[in-house]
Each structure stands twice: as C-alpha cells, then as structure tokens.
Amino acid sequence: MGQCVTKCKNPSSTLGSKNGDRESSSKAHSKRSTIHKEEHSAVCGKCSGDILVNGTKKMEAAVESSQPPASSGDAKKEPVSGTEESSLHRTEELFRRYKDEREDAILEEGMERFCNDLCVDPTEFKVLVLAWKFQAATMCKFTRTEFFDGCKAIHADSLEGICARFPSLLSEAKQEEKFKDLYRFTFQFGLDSEEGQRSLHREIAIALWKLVFTQNKPPILDQWLHFLNENPSGIKGISRDTWNMFLNFTQVIGPDLSNYSEDEAWPSLFDTFVEWETERRKKEEEAGQCTAASQTDSSSAEPPT
C-alpha cells in the first residue's frame, strides 16, 4: 500500500511500506506483476456493473446458489453452502496473490501491489478505512485471519468487490459512533507493536490526525497541528489519553477557544495549546492593527493634489 504513514521513520510517507520508495518489481514478484497487469486495468476501469457486493458476478452467483451445500464430515460444524465455499476459495486466491513467500501474511511489498491493484493511492483515507474494517493490528501487514475476516465483514472476495464497497465504507465512517471507533483504532494502528510503543511519535501523530479527519475536518485542527509542529512544549509523543480526548475537544470547544476551562479534566497539553494559540492570535491581531495604522498615517501624510 505504498509507504507507511506511521510505522516508518518518515511520517510524511504513506500507509503501506516502512521504507520509502522501494523497487516495485523484484525478481521474486515480476512474473506475478505481469500476470495481473491486465486484471488491474480491468478493475480500475469498472468497479461495479454486474458485480454483487461480495465481488461475485451475477451469472456465477446464480450457478453457485443452485449447488447443494457442501457435505461435512464433522456433524458439529455448520454446513457450508456452495456459495460460501466458492467465496472462501476466491478469498484464498486473492490472499495468495499478495502474501509473502516466507510468512503467511501480506507484508509491505504485497500491500503495495494490493493497493495498486485496487486503484487507490496509498495515502488515501480509503486505505485507513479498509485497515479498520480488517481490524489490522500492524501497519503494513494483513495476517491471514485479518484478511479473511475483513473480506467477510465487508462482503467482498475480489478486487472488484472491495472496490465497489468503498463508497459505503466511506459513508459508514461518517457516522458519529463509527467514526469514534475508527478514530480510536487509528491510534493503536499507528503504534509499533514490535517495539512495544505506548505513545505515538509526535510527527506520526500529526500525520495520522490529518488522515483520520479527511472527511470531517474540525475547525481547530490546523491550529492544533501548527502548535504541535512548533512544539513549544518540547513533547516527543502523544499518549492514548491525549489522542482520545482531542476528539472530545473538537466537539465541545468552539473555534475561538472562549469556552475552554483549565479547571476541567483536560490533558495538560491542551492547557498549553490554548494559552499558546490565544497569545498567537493576540500578537497577530496587534500586528494587523499596527499595519492598518501605518497605512492610515501614510495616506494622511501625502500632499493634496
């Protein structure tokens, strides 16, 4: 899925790979890239048409639905219909197309090809939403379980099916409770679990805040990110509590910050931000007044014509 936005050391990059620009076609994967080139073009050219929500063509689905349920040797297991079995088979084929040769998971290079075949930019909000629906625990990686459960959750088992689901997934992410879940997921997703991180690096948090608020940008976001970039407090990381509380902050504190109270249980970083931003606005206003006064004096000093 491109370059990682968080897990890499370069937070200005994107969601799919840790190491910036890499050679997109190694010897190990060049044949597979050639095989799927035509299919990639077809997926980009049309995303729905005669595709059902699970990515199955109508004629295929009709044939599959007429098949009797697959027999099971274990009486305790629920019977699997022919349609479900076919869908699992298609999901398996899709997973194998991108999985790593050594590990039973889709890793960085496979993620990049997967994203490319879906015709989405790795920096897009769509990629984060898909990771959320797949409940991915680690940036730049889909385990077998995450991939299969994710495809089942969004009712898709093909590139066409996933692509066709993007509009409804984006609409779902606009719902207040769903967005809250996505927002909290984003913090955990950005952590480096291998290093046992408990807080996000400041630069990575900034990149993720920009991304997660793609569809519903709060008025105060730019000022908040400017504050973090200037970093007057010298902070190195953003805690989970600060991350979660910022969403509440955007919902209850007005853009002019006049209803903010330090007596309430806000993180101390918010106190510093409000003080810093209030002072910045005051200086900006004073500078504007000085400029206006200077222009007035210049005009009055000009001799009459």
Side-chain angles (χ1 to χ4, degrees):
M1 282 193 248
Q3 308 159 359
C4 272
V5 132
T6 61
K7 196 169 182 186
C8 66
K9 302 306 179 183
N10 178 8
S12 63
S13 50
T14 66
L15 280 174
S17 115
K18 307 175 193 175
N19 300 319
D21 295 335
R22 308 184 66 163
E23 296 183 5
S24 59
S25 57
S26 63
K27 293 182 179 179
H29 297 283
S30 59
K31 292 184 179 179
R32 279 185 286 182
S33 299
T34 303
I35 291 173
H36 300 304
K37 186 175 293 183
E38 293 183 0
E39 182 178 290
H40 164 67
S41 300
V43 173
C44 293
K46 64 171 186 176
C47 253
S48 52
D50 61 346
I51 302 298
L52 300 180
V53 290
N54 68 344
T56 307
K57 293 184 178 179
K58 291 180 180 178
M59 293 184 63
E60 293 176 357
V63 173
E64 290 164 1
S65 62
S66 65
Q67 295 177 350
S71 59
S72 173
D74 190 348
K76 295 181 180 180
K77 293 183 180 179
E78 294 183 3
V80 178
S81 69
T83 301
E84 291 172 329
E85 187 174 351
S86 296
S87 181
L88 285 173
H89 178 68
R90 285 189 292 271
T91 304
E92 175 69 30
E93 288 184 336
L94 189 62
F95 178 76
R96 286 182 176 276
R97 186 182 306 177
Y98 303 104
K99 73 179 289 292
D100 186 69
E101 292 184 345
R102 295 185 179 86
E103 186 173 345
D104 195 30
I106 299 175
L107 303 182
E108 293 175 41
E109 188 173 343
M111 284 291 216
E112 292 179 10
R113 290 187 289 107
F114 180 52
C115 190
N116 183 60
D117 288 351
L118 284 173
C119 309
V120 294
D121 190 297
T123 63
E124 283 185 70
F125 180 63
K126 290 178 182 179
V127 180
L128 177 64
V129 172
L130 189 64
W132 167 55
K133 296 304 292 185
F134 280 28
Q135 286 297 291
T138 305
M139 189 74 71
C140 322
K141 179 179 180 179
F142 283 152
T143 66
R144 172 179 288 273
T145 299
E146 289 168 352
F147 191 84
F148 273 73
D149 289 351
C151 285
K152 183 177 181 180
I154 66 173
H155 307 290
D157 54 26
S158 68
L159 293 173
E160 294 90 344
I162 295 173
C163 186
R165 290 287 289 153
F166 276 136
S168 61
L169 295 179
L170 295 179
S171 295
E172 181 181 345
K174 291 181 179 179
Q175 301 172 24
E176 184 175 350
E177 287 303 313
K178 294 292 186 180
F179 177 74
K180 183 177 180 180
D181 187 62
L182 168 62
Y183 181 84
R184 296 196 170 193
F185 163 84
T186 302
F187 178 88
Q188 184 64 40
F189 187 55
L191 296 177
D192 191 332
S193 57
E194 295 177 0
E195 295 182 3
Q197 282 185 340
R198 299 174 64 89
S199 62
L200 290 175
H201 291 303
R202 178 174 56 89
E203 297 87 352
I204 291 174
I206 290 172
L208 283 178
W209 261 314
K210 288 179 181 178
L211 185 64
V212 76
F213 281 118
T214 295
Q215 295 192 134
N216 53 343
K217 181 180 175 181
I220 200 64
L221 181 63
D222 286 340
Q223 289 79 12
W224 170 248
L225 298 182
H226 178 51
F227 164 74
L228 292 177
N229 276 313
E230 292 294 320
N231 197 21
S233 301
I235 62 168
K236 295 182 179 180
I238 299 296
S239 68
R240 186 185 300 272
D241 180 59
T242 298
W243 176 274
N244 290 341
M245 290 294 287
F246 182 71
L247 180 59
N248 298 339
F249 182 91
T250 64
Q251 294 169 341
V252 302
I253 303 301
D256 62 359
L257 306 176
S258 60
N259 63 330
Y260 182 83
S261 173
E262 294 183 2
D263 296 331
E264 297 180 13
W266 295 110
S268 60
L269 185 61
F270 291 4
D271 297 342
T272 307
F273 163 64
V274 172
E275 181 181 351
W276 182 86
E277 177 62 15
T278 302
E279 184 64 24
R280 185 194 67 80
R281 293 181 184 184
K282 182 179 178 180
K283 290 180 180 178
E284 191 175 75
E285 184 179 350
E286 290 175 349
Q289 291 174 350
C290 289
T291 301
S294 177
Q295 291 175 345
T296 302
D297 291 341
S298 298
S299 299
S300 61
E302 292 179 0
T305 57

